Every structure is written in C-alpha cells, then in structure tokens.
Amino acid sequence: MLQIQIGPEREADPDDMLGRSTIGWRPGMSEDEVWEVGRGIWKFNADRALAQDEVQIINTGGTVLAVATITGISKHGDRYALQGELLRGDDRVGRATRSPHLSRNPVTYI
C-alpha cells in the first residue's frame, strides 16, 4: 500500500499542475475533496507506486481520510500525480491507520 500524509490546508501555488486552489486537509472535507488534494503532486518512485494496489491518504494525526485503488500515474515535470478509483465509504475512513506513517517524507510504501 502507498500512504500519503497531508498537512493542514493552505493555498496551492498559482501554477498548480492539477489546477487546485488549495492543498492539504481541513476538518469537514469529503472523501472526494481529500482525493483531489492528496493524489498529487509528489516525488515518488513511479514503478514502486504502480506496484501498489491502494493508496491511503491520512492526516498528520494518523486518521485515514480517503482510500483509493491505484490505476495509473501522470507525470508533471519531475513529480507525479496518482490516478485511481476512490473507494467511497471504505470502513477505514475516519479511523486511525493501522500502519503508522514512520517516514519524514509525505509519501511512504507499506
């Protein structure tokens, strides 16, 4: 599994490659909103990411915010964004992750 940890919501760069106005997490976001801000743009090993079945997007407190299957990636300069199918209503959402994020980097492989 790929795990992405996102911090507090903040403004995205004006030239955000995914056209987002904000990135990060705030209380009350829907799974769809979390997926859009959490799926990219990241530095990661493309082959290793594609070898994972799922991605779990968590906040810095370790709460699962969204889960998706990974179906592909898109390249944006030297970074990538995930493509996938959001698993809306997954029972892990809203709960503490069973796999604590031990990396200082926002992206880790579990």
Side-chain angles (χ1 to χ4, degrees):
M1 176 185 316
L2 186 66
Q3 191 178 72
I4 298 173
Q5 184 180 70
I6 57 176
E9 185 178 56
R10 62 191 182 283
E11 283 188 34
D13 290 334
D15 58 346
D16 182 80
M17 294 181 208
L18 295 179
R20 301 168 297 181
S21 59
T22 62
I23 56 175
W25 174 81
R26 66 172 157 60
M29 288 179 82
S30 70
E31 292 173 67
D32 290 278
E33 291 171 316
V34 169
W35 172 243
E36 284 307 311
V37 299
R39 68 184 192 88
I41 303 266
W42 305 105
K43 282 192 176 186
F44 56 68
N45 180 302
D47 290 333
R48 196 166 175 198
L50 286 170
Q52 309 303 308
D53 293 327
E54 290 183 334
V55 59
Q56 199 179 72
I57 301 172
I58 66 170
N59 64 17
T60 55
T63 301
V64 178
L65 306 172
V67 179
T69 58
I70 298 171
T71 60
I73 58 172
S74 56
K75 188 168 173 68
H76 303 270
D78 65 343
R79 296 174 183 255
Y80 300 94
L82 294 172
Q83 297 170 339
E85 295 294 324
L86 183 60
L87 301 176
R88 288 178 190 85
D90 188 281
D91 65 354
R92 293 170 282 186
V93 173
R95 299 174 188 237
T97 181
R98 293 183 184 160
S99 306
H101 194 91
L102 302 176
S103 176
R104 293 186 329 170
N105 297 321
V107 177
T108 191
Y109 308 89
I110 297 172

